[in-house]
Amino acid sequence: MTGWNARNIPDQRGRTAVVTGANSGIGYVTARELARAGAHVVLACRSSARGEAARDRLRTEVPHAEAEFARLDLGDLASVRAFAAAFAERSDRLDLLINNAGVMALPQGRTTDGFETQFGVNHLGHFALTGLLMPLLLRTPDARVVSLSSGFHALADLDHDDLNAERGYRRWIAYGRSKTANLLFIHELARRLDAAGSGVVAAAAHPGYAATNLQTAGPRQEGRKAAERLMELGNRVIAQPAATGALPTLYAATAPGVRPDAFIGPRLGWRGAPVRSWRARWTLDDASGERLWTASEELTGVRYDALTGRP
């Protein structure tokens, strides 16, 4: 892994990738570099204007790119279902599903379906999307699912009795719990894929501290100018560029030999080349992963029948 960078991405010609939240930051770089390596890339974004602009920018930066935009709002399960249905209609394969989109430390809010926003967007939306696309993943040789977590998962284990933060809300604890959920989801998905005898690899990644608009979204939404300026300063002075922050994702998605349930992050924790990353012990708890899976199926109405053989 030492010194691994985007030039090490294997040839992706003939492969199809879906990248959520691909209009900016880590997601955009991920989509761009996969397209540069030859993949057909779908930029799955909530905003049509920003998604189409990102697609056009990508095609300019990578003239041979096969890139398209499709609308996906992870905070609305009807949108998730519509995206998955439309994708399955026009494609007979899915090689890479990059669950990248996310929100961070927002004021308390609810998704369209009534879930706490960070848990709903960061975890439940991607849980539903992955389940709905699972039949395509299972029939595609060497397919991978990569979910983006964060070092901030260490802030908090899940509270299984209060997944939607109805007993109280602290934005950073809620964010940490949503990132723990991302890791537990991949842990349980990897276990279930193995039990089903599938070759699909489920792995996770985190970007360290990368300069994206994720840090400023919360303060900007609340009008906290001082906090927004502080985050902008941190992005300029401390953070690594988004192009470097995307490397753990790209490694998890494309490098040979990535093992199921791997967690890839920067060498120094907050920056550097991709390596296997430390993770909190609670993200490897089988019972917790199974409990989250059951709750997620109940909350979203999405069941992974393709993995179990259920009709």
Side-chain angles (χ1 to χ4, degrees):
M1 261 188 231
T2 303
W4 195 94
N5 60 55
R7 291 189 298 276
N8 300 122
I9 297 172
D11 187 354
Q12 299 295 300
R13 284 176 293 184
R15 309 192 83 206
T16 298
V18 169
V19 184
T20 69
N23 56 282
S24 65
I26 303 299
Y28 175 77
V29 173
T30 299
R32 183 189 67 198
E33 296 310 314
L34 290 173
R36 195 189 306 277
H40 177 92
V41 178
V42 179
L43 287 72
C45 312
R46 181 172 59 88
S47 165
S48 296
R50 290 194 292 270
E52 290 169 354
R55 176 204 59 203
D56 294 345
R57 175 186 168 198
L58 192 157
R59 288 174 175 172
T60 299
E61 294 181 359
V62 185
H64 68 269
E66 294 183 15
E68 62 176 293
F69 159 74
R71 188 176 182 279
L72 169 65
D73 182 354
L74 290 160
D76 182 348
L77 291 176
S79 174
V80 176
R81 289 182 180 277
F83 172 91
F87 181 83
E89 266 190 21
R90 67 180 186 273
S91 181
D92 60 356
R93 66 183 298 127
L94 177 55
D95 299 85
L96 300 173
L97 173 58
I98 313 295
N99 292 325
N100 164 83
V103 294
M104 183 175 81
L106 297 181
Q108 186 170 17
R110 297 284 161 181
T111 68
T112 300
D113 303 283
F115 308 128
E116 186 276 309
T117 301
Q118 298 192 80
F119 182 67
V121 171
N122 295 352
H123 169 63
L124 289 176
H126 282 125
F127 177 90
L129 178 67
T130 307
L132 292 166
L133 293 175
M134 186 54 62
L136 282 175
L137 289 159
L138 289 172
R139 75 171 67 128
T140 305
D142 302 319
R144 293 189 190 181
V145 177
V146 178
S147 286
L148 272 286
S149 184
S150 165
F152 283 112
H153 80 273
L155 288 174
D157 192 2
L158 287 182
D159 181 350
H160 285 284
D161 295 321
D162 190 26
L163 292 174
N164 276 308
E166 293 168 349
R167 299 175 184 171
Y169 182 77
R170 289 178 291 170
R171 70 186 70 198
W172 282 105
I173 295 299
Y175 179 66
R177 285 176 172 157
S178 75
K179 296 290 101 179
T180 283
N182 293 150
L183 283 170
L184 274 173
F185 166 56
I186 287 297
H187 179 68
E188 181 65 10
L189 177 59
R191 188 186 70 78
R192 291 178 181 239
L193 287 165
D194 180 64
S198 170
V200 176
V201 171
H206 78 91
Y209 185 5
T212 71
N213 59 15
L214 192 65
Q215 293 91 340
T216 57
R220 184 178 298 118
Q221 185 172 326
E222 293 182 291
R224 295 186 292 130
K225 296 296 185 182
E228 183 179 352
R229 286 195 295 271
L230 181 62
M231 291 295 186
E232 289 173 345
L233 179 63
N235 279 354
R236 288 197 302 271
V237 176
I238 303 172
Q240 61 183 350
T244 309
L247 291 179
T249 302
L250 290 164
Y251 185 95
T254 68
V258 171
R259 297 184 61 80
D261 202 26
F263 185 33
I264 309 298
R267 178 178 296 282
L268 299 180
W270 59 284
R271 67 185 304 151
V275 296
R276 288 290 295 268
S277 181
W278 173 88
R279 61 196 291 178
R281 55 181 174 76
W282 57 71
T283 68
L284 296 167
D285 185 318
D286 291 351
S288 183
E290 187 168 2
R291 189 174 178 186
L292 174 64
W293 188 281
T294 299
S296 301
E297 285 190 329
E298 292 173 353
L299 290 168
T300 64
V302 174
R303 303 188 185 279
Y304 284 56
D305 294 338
L307 274 181
T308 62
R310 289 180 296 195

